[in-house]
């Protein structure tokens, strides 16, 4: 089992899912970020600080044994937020019904409601009508508030 799978197993033990994992450098500091989501939309049932803290405590010893980054780094566990990057089919599927901004390869930009996402691509409802895009046509995509 790889590191990502072990992290996913820990996160799922809390009733949440891994949305994405990234390694970044900000202000000269390395950060290993684990974004988590929870499908339960009921008040006080989603991703909160206690959930992030508990998952962080459980992931930390695993990363001590299997460092994901060379050198010193900080571990962050958080929600991807209300405005988040969409990079994988799962991200789009989870965001159906939300407002999205997409930029297709070549620079054309579109805004609208994400109304469908499958393994091949997405469909958004715009002011000009519905538009479909394959994932390989998409540049940057994100939800917006």
């Amino acid at each position: 089992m790889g590191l990502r799978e072990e992290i996913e197993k820990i996160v799922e033990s809390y009733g949440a899912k891994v949305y994405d994992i990234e390694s970044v450098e900000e202000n000269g500091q390395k950060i290993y970020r684990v974004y988590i989501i929870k499908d339960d939309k009921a008040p006080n049932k989603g991703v909160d600080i206690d959930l992030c803290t508990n998952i962080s405590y459980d992931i930390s010893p695993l990363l001590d044994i299997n460092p994901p980054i060379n050198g010193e780094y900080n571990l962050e566990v958080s929600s991807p937020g209300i405005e988040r990057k969409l990079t994988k089919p799962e991200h789009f599927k989870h965001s159906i019904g939300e407002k999205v901004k997409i930029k297709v390869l070549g620079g054309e930009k579109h805004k609208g409601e994400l109304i469908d996402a499958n393994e091949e691509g997405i469909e958004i409802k715009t002011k000009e009508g519905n538009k479909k895009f394959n994932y390989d046509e998409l540049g940057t995509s994100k939800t917006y508030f």
Side-chain angles (χ1 to χ4, degrees), residues 96-116:
I96 291 174
E98 295 186 53
K99 293 179 182 178
V100 294
K101 292 181 191 178
I102 63 167
K103 186 177 189 182
V104 295
L105 299 177
E108 194 176 310
K109 296 178 183 178
H110 301 276
K111 288 170 88 173
E113 179 187 347
L114 181 63
I115 58 173
D116 190 30

Side-chain angles (χ1 to χ4, degrees), residues 6-65:
E6 290 189 49
I7 291 170
E8 287 173 348
K9 188 176 173 183
I10 291 168
V11 171
E12 288 169 6
S13 74
Y14 284 92
K17 293 180 185 173
V18 171
Y19 182 80
D20 209 356
I21 297 176
E22 68 179 2
S23 300
V24 297
E25 189 166 328
E26 293 177 359
N27 301 319
Q29 188 175 42
K30 294 179 187 176
I31 302 169
Y32 187 71
R33 258 188 210 126
V34 179
Y35 293 111
I36 60 172
I37 57 173
K38 211 167 176 188
D39 287 334
D40 194 343
K41 305 281 190 222
N44 302 319
K45 298 287 184 182
V47 174
D48 61 18
I49 191 75
D50 291 333
L51 178 63
C52 293
T53 300
N54 291 335
I55 290 173
S56 180
Y57 284 141
D58 283 356
I59 290 174
S60 191
L62 172 66
L63 301 182
D64 289 343
I65 296 168

